[in-house]
Amino acid sequence: VNSLIFSADISTAEKILDKQKLFLEQTNNSKYLGEVYSFLGSINRDKRKYPEAVTYFQKANQAFGIIKYNSGYAKSLMNLGKLYAIAFNDTNKGLKFCEEAMTYAEGEDHLIILLETGNIYVQKKLYNRAKYFFQQDFNLVPSGRDETSMLTLTFPFPVFNPFQVPTDLTTMHGSS
């Protein structure tokens, strides 16, 4: 699926994910359902089908909650926050989702959540607050990490947006 998304064959990726979703739902297999919902949420977000994206990210939350996968739960909350801030211009709701996401974050999940929180504060034009979150993000980067290793963190991320705008990637690498 990642290959199809990266090759911009979104339609085929979506068809495969829809089939996988149906199979997982019919077999009551919750183990991978959250990941499938997250991918579908990202695809719908990229297609600007925002209500559908919200539904899929909410379903991902439910699926991750069932299997107690905190990392997935945190990432889908963060994606809801990003979606509400950007698509619906509801930055306060976006920040609430990001704040809740931090309570479930594991390992390096904090990095992407802090980054998105900072981006929402930029959207609100609260630059000092944004700087605080970007600095917190920078402070958590393990020593020895370079731009390449940081970018690879996003690839296994279930809702990586392969069509990120260059400013998102620049911010992700600490150039903000």
Side-chain angles (χ1 to χ4, degrees):
V1 172
N2 273 337
S3 299
L4 293 169
I5 292 172
F6 286 118
S7 70
D9 192 353
I10 302 297
S11 176
T12 303
E14 192 171 19
K15 287 176 189 171
I16 291 170
L17 287 165
D18 280 334
K19 286 181 185 176
Q20 189 67 28
K21 175 185 67 113
L22 184 62
F23 172 75
L24 293 170
E25 288 172 341
Q26 288 174 344
T27 59
N28 246 357
N29 184 342
S30 298
K31 186 173 182 181
Y32 300 107
L33 198 51
E35 300 292 340
V36 171
Y37 287 145
S38 290
F39 270 120
L40 288 167
S42 295
I43 287 172
N44 278 284
R45 179 191 60 219
D46 294 341
K47 290 169 65 175
R48 299 179 191 266
K49 293 183 174 182
Y50 301 127
E52 292 88 343
V54 167
T55 299
Y56 278 118
F57 287 133
Q58 288 171 336
K59 286 183 174 190
N61 270 356
Q62 291 171 345
F64 289 134
I66 289 169
I67 63 171
K68 300 192 183 333
Y69 179 46
N70 286 344
S71 183
Y73 195 80
K75 291 170 188 171
S76 57
L77 284 170
M78 186 272 314
N79 273 290
L80 280 165
K82 181 178 181 177
L83 184 63
Y84 273 98
I86 294 172
F88 302 112
N89 201 32
D90 191 342
T91 54
N92 291 331
K93 193 168 192 175
L95 287 170
K96 285 180 184 175
F97 276 115
C98 287
E99 183 180 333
E100 184 180 354
M102 287 297 285
T103 65
Y104 294 96
E106 297 176 342
E108 294 180 344
D109 298 341
H110 296 90
L111 295 172
I112 190 86
I113 297 166
L114 287 168
L115 171 71
E116 292 306 334
T117 302
N119 286 335
I120 293 171
Y121 277 112
V122 167
Q123 184 179 343
K124 290 174 69 94
K125 298 183 181 4
L126 296 173
Y127 301 113
N128 285 335
R129 195 77 180 128
K131 180 182 174 189
Y132 170 81
F133 282 95
F134 292 143
Q135 186 63 53
Q136 293 301 310
D137 185 46
F138 181 76
N139 292 344
L140 288 176
V141 174
S143 63
R145 282 277 164 90
D146 61 10
E147 290 84 3
T148 303
S149 65
M150 291 304 293
L151 185 58
T152 59
L153 280 176
T154 61
F155 288 109
F157 189 67
V159 288
F160 173 69
N161 178 2
F163 307 107
Q164 283 177 298
V165 293
T167 55
D168 285 346
L169 293 174
T170 301
T171 304
M172 186 178 294
H173 294 298
S175 298
S176 55

